């Protein structure tokens, strides 16, 4: 039975799906900081968000709250990871430029 009702689970699923789509699009926008495992994690995230949309009506409030907590930890961690990749790429590129000058 598929019972899709607009509840907080739909909002949580759409936020998670947007973050995962951003992770997919990172490969197109900045391929130098994208990694191969991003596709795997983004696919899992999109599967997770589709499960939340389809079966989220079964969640009682405490389970929904646990999903909110998991996502509130996961999203900033992903954001920090991507920022650190960009910083590491800039640092690595500047080190290569310094080594070429000598």
């Amino acid at each position: 039975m598929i019972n899709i009702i607009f509840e907080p689970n739909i909002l949580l699923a759409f936020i998670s799906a947007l973050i995962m789509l951003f992770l997919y699009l990172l490969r197109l926008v900045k391929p130098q900081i994208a990694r191969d495992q991003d596709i795997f994690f983004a696919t899992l995230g999109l599967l997770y968000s589709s499960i939340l949309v389809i079966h989220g009506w079964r969640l009682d409030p405490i389970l929904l709250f646990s999903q909110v907590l998991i996502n509130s930890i996961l999203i900033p961690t992903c954001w920090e990871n991507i920022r650190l990749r960009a910083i590491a790429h800039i640092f690595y590129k500047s080190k290569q430029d310094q080594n070429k000058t000598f």
Side-chain angles (χ1 to χ4, degrees):
M1 181 173 131
I2 297 177
N3 189 10
I4 299 175
I5 301 171
F6 187 76
E7 289 181 350
N9 63 322
I10 299 290
L11 181 64
L12 186 64
F14 282 139
I15 290 172
S16 177
L18 284 175
I19 297 298
M20 294 306 140
L21 287 175
F22 169 73
L23 197 55
Y24 268 131
L25 293 176
L26 184 66
R27 186 168 292 283
L28 297 174
V29 176
K30 293 206 176 235
Q32 63 270 16
I33 63 172
R35 300 224 173 115
D36 291 336
Q37 67 249 24
D38 290 346
I39 294 175
F40 174 72
F41 291 122
T43 304
L44 284 181
L46 288 174
L47 180 66
Y48 164 77
S49 63
S50 66
I51 290 171
L52 268 180
V53 168
I54 294 172
H55 296 289
W57 60 274
R58 297 182 190 186
L59 291 177
D60 57 345
I62 193 71
L63 288 174
L64 182 64
F65 183 63
S66 70
Q67 296 300 313
V68 169
L69 289 178
I70 288 171
N71 280 327
S72 65
I73 292 169
L74 179 71
I75 291 171
T77 305
C78 290
W79 180 256
E80 182 180 3
N81 187 5
I82 291 170
R83 282 184 44 223
L84 288 174
R85 285 184 200 173
I87 292 170
H89 176 71
I90 292 170
F91 179 73
Y92 180 71
K93 191 175 180 181
S94 68
K95 279 289 201 185
Q96 283 183 337
D97 291 341
Q98 286 177 356
N99 289 339
K100 286 181 182 178
T101 57
F102 294 118

